[in-house]
Amino acid sequence: MKNYNTQKIYRFLLQFILLILFIISSYYYSLSQEFKGYISVKGSIRFEKQPVKDATINIYLNDQIIDTKQTMSDGRFEYKLDFNKIYQIEVVAPELVSKKIEINTAVTDDYKEDILQYKFVFELFENISGLDISALNAPVSKVSYNEKLDKFEFDVAYDQTMKQKLQTIEAQLQSLKTKAYDETIAKADKLFDQGKYEEAIEWYDLAIDYNPSDTYPDEMIYECEDHLIETNDADAAYNRHIAAADKSFNTGKYVNAKNSYEKAAKIKPQEEYPPKRLDEINKILKQQEAAEELEDQYFDVISGADANFSQKKYALAKDSYSKALTLKPNEQYPKDKISQINTLLDEQAKAQANANAVEASYKSAITKGDAAF
């Protein structure tokens, strides 16, 4: 009788251990099946600190373009990258030098069920004739996951090498722009001396593009316009500024457009069109500023939420992701994270309930076994 009861207890303990192992394996298997992680990449494209709208974003994998996107009106874009691959993101914009960045999405096993986030800013510059940009066939930066810092970081050594190459390109660009500026000013001055004021204005305008900080072209443009007005040709000066302003406005260069509309308004104060456009531009610039502030605030909240999530402080993380959604309701990233947290909490609750049930059953069986013993 004693041996029989002992065998029953051993069998029960074996069944109990197998049950616990089954629960644990089922729990982790269910998580791996229900959620697939990714990296949310957010980029901001700028030229002379202004957003570049409608820039083309090419996504490369294994040297092949797998997708193409356009930047929004604020110069931003977002893309989801799968884990354990090496991507290149290329930015292409008219009249600007193209750049690309390489992102290695390999992460540690602990984060293969997670959603990570990476944010960067691309500052583009002009592409003028004679500029050697062959160094930019390679990525300007390489990014990979830093396990110690628990985030994506630049490859410092590689970036330093590319920084030196970029400085060489920028120095060459400045030299070419200085030469072009001097030649353009000489051409404009010659036309001015010949009394060809409209043509001279076009060349002075071109010179501003090469050196916006020099006031000489602006001063000469005003002088040319004074001569045109004296010869009853104010319409030509007004129309020229309106044409330049409209071109800048339609390409998203709102600061340049604002300057041209203001010049047109001075020539013909009675016209309604320039003030109307200036109101539109002021509203757009305020919206862009507000969008940037919102983006920065959103990113700070998300960073805090990600930190809490990594530390398994799921309740705090969920609160922060919810706050992020109040800032940007259409963002998918915080929604995915909240869904993941809910799944984790539900699975934890189920596992705890099962463990409690098994523990209760075990204690009951032990009590009965002891009594029978």
Side-chain angles (χ1 to χ4, degrees), residues 199-215:
E199 293 180 59
I201 287 174
E202 292 178 3
W203 284 90
Y204 285 127
D205 254 342
L206 182 59
I208 292 174
D209 292 336
Y210 292 126
N211 187 359
S213 61
D214 194 340
T215 59

Side-chain angles (χ1 to χ4, degrees), residues 39-263:
I39 298 171
S40 176
V41 175
K42 295 186 177 183
S44 180
I45 314 303
R46 299 182 176 277
F47 170 64
E48 295 182 346
K49 298 183 179 180
Q50 294 296 314
V52 180
K53 70 173 185 177
D54 297 329
T56 300
I57 311 297
N58 294 321
I59 314 296
Y60 286 83
L61 181 62
N62 299 326
D63 297 325
Q64 298 291 326
I65 295 179
I66 60 171
D67 203 356
T68 297
K69 297 178 72 70
Q70 301 295 125
T71 54
M72 296 179 286
S73 60
D74 59 358
R76 300 177 189 273
F77 75 94
E78 181 177 0
Y79 199 82
K80 295 177 181 178
L81 305 179
D82 294 332
F83 284 132
N84 299 318
K85 295 180 181 179
I86 299 178
Y87 293 90
Q88 287 190 351
I89 300 177
E90 179 186 43
V91 179
V92 181
E95 301 178 4
L96 299 178
V97 172
S98 300
K99 288 184 178 180
K100 54 187 173 184
I101 184 174
E102 181 178 290
I103 302 180
N104 185 339
T105 63
V107 293
T108 61
D109 292 340
D110 293 341
Y111 289 89
K112 288 181 180 178
E113 308 299 338
D114 201 356
I115 304 172
L116 300 177
Q117 192 173 47
Y118 180 70
K119 180 180 179 182
F120 68 93
V121 177
F122 254 168
E123 186 71 34
L124 303 181
F125 53 86
E126 297 169 86
N127 188 5
I128 67 175
S129 178
L131 184 64
D132 181 8
I133 57 173
S134 57
L136 297 181
N137 291 331
V140 296
S141 184
K142 290 186 177 181
V143 178
S144 60
Y145 179 70
N146 187 315
E147 184 178 356
K148 292 182 179 179
L149 299 178
D150 189 24
K151 63 179 181 178
F152 281 84
E153 283 289 306
F154 295 107
D155 183 328
V156 177
Y158 181 87
D159 275 20
Q160 188 61 36
T161 301
M162 288 306 299
K163 183 179 179 180
Q164 293 173 355
K165 292 182 180 180
L166 283 170
Q167 288 174 343
T168 300
I169 294 173
E170 290 170 359
Q172 184 191 12
L173 173 63
Q174 190 57 47
S175 177
L176 290 171
K177 288 174 70 174
T178 299
K179 181 182 178 181
Y181 176 80
D182 292 340
E183 293 174 350
T184 305
I185 287 294
K187 177 70 174 178
D189 286 344
K190 184 177 180 180
L191 291 169
F192 179 85
D193 293 338
Q194 294 172 352
K196 299 177 181 179
Y197 301 118
E198 286 189 44
E199 293 180 59
I201 287 174
E202 292 178 3
W203 284 90
Y204 285 127
D205 254 342
L206 182 59
I208 292 174
D209 292 336
Y210 292 126
N211 187 359
S213 61
D214 194 340
T215 59
Y216 178 75
D218 276 321
E219 293 169 358
M220 292 305 297
I221 287 173
Y222 285 126
E223 197 166 336
C224 288
E225 288 171 348
D226 287 340
H227 285 290
L228 290 172
I229 292 172
E230 288 173 3
T231 58
N232 297 320
D233 206 358
D235 286 344
Y238 173 83
N239 291 335
R240 184 187 63 79
H241 283 307
I242 290 296
D246 286 344
K247 180 180 178 181
S248 295
F249 183 89
N250 292 331
T251 55
K253 299 178 180 178
Y254 299 115
V255 175
N256 292 344
K258 184 177 180 180
N259 292 334
S260 296
Y261 285 127
E262 287 174 345
K263 291 176 181 177

Side-chain angles (χ1 to χ4, degrees), residues 30-43:
S30 64
L31 289 182
S32 64
Q33 295 301 305
E34 291 176 6
F35 186 81
K36 182 181 180 181
Y38 59 84
I39 298 171
S40 176
V41 175
K42 295 186 177 183

Side-chain angles (χ1 to χ4, degrees), residues 268-365:
K268 289 190 174 185
Q270 73 279 8
E271 289 289 335
E272 296 180 357
Y273 181 67
K276 181 180 177 181
R277 278 298 207 185
L278 287 169
D279 286 341
E280 290 182 50
I281 290 173
N282 288 331
K283 290 178 181 177
I284 290 172
L285 293 177
K286 286 182 179 179
Q287 289 173 353
Q288 288 182 347
E289 184 178 354
E292 289 179 15
E293 291 178 358
L294 177 63
E295 183 69 19
D296 291 339
Q297 186 179 1
Y298 171 82
F299 187 73
D300 289 341
V301 173
I302 286 294
S303 296
D306 287 344
N308 285 325
F309 185 89
S310 298
Q311 298 169 16
K312 302 188 185 304
K313 299 177 181 178
Y314 297 130
L316 292 176
K318 185 176 180 179
D319 289 342
S320 294
Y321 288 126
S322 298
K323 182 179 178 181
L325 279 177
T326 63
L327 296 173
K328 300 181 74 173
N330 295 326
E331 287 291 325
Q332 188 61 39
Y333 178 73
K335 294 178 183 178
D336 289 340
K337 295 298 287 184
I338 289 173
S339 176
Q340 185 185 5
I341 289 172
N342 288 336
T343 300
L344 287 169
L345 293 176
D346 287 345
E347 292 295 337
Q348 285 181 351
K350 290 177 182 178
Q352 187 61 50
N354 288 336
N356 291 340
V358 171
E359 179 67 17
S361 178
Y362 170 76
K363 289 181 179 179
S364 176

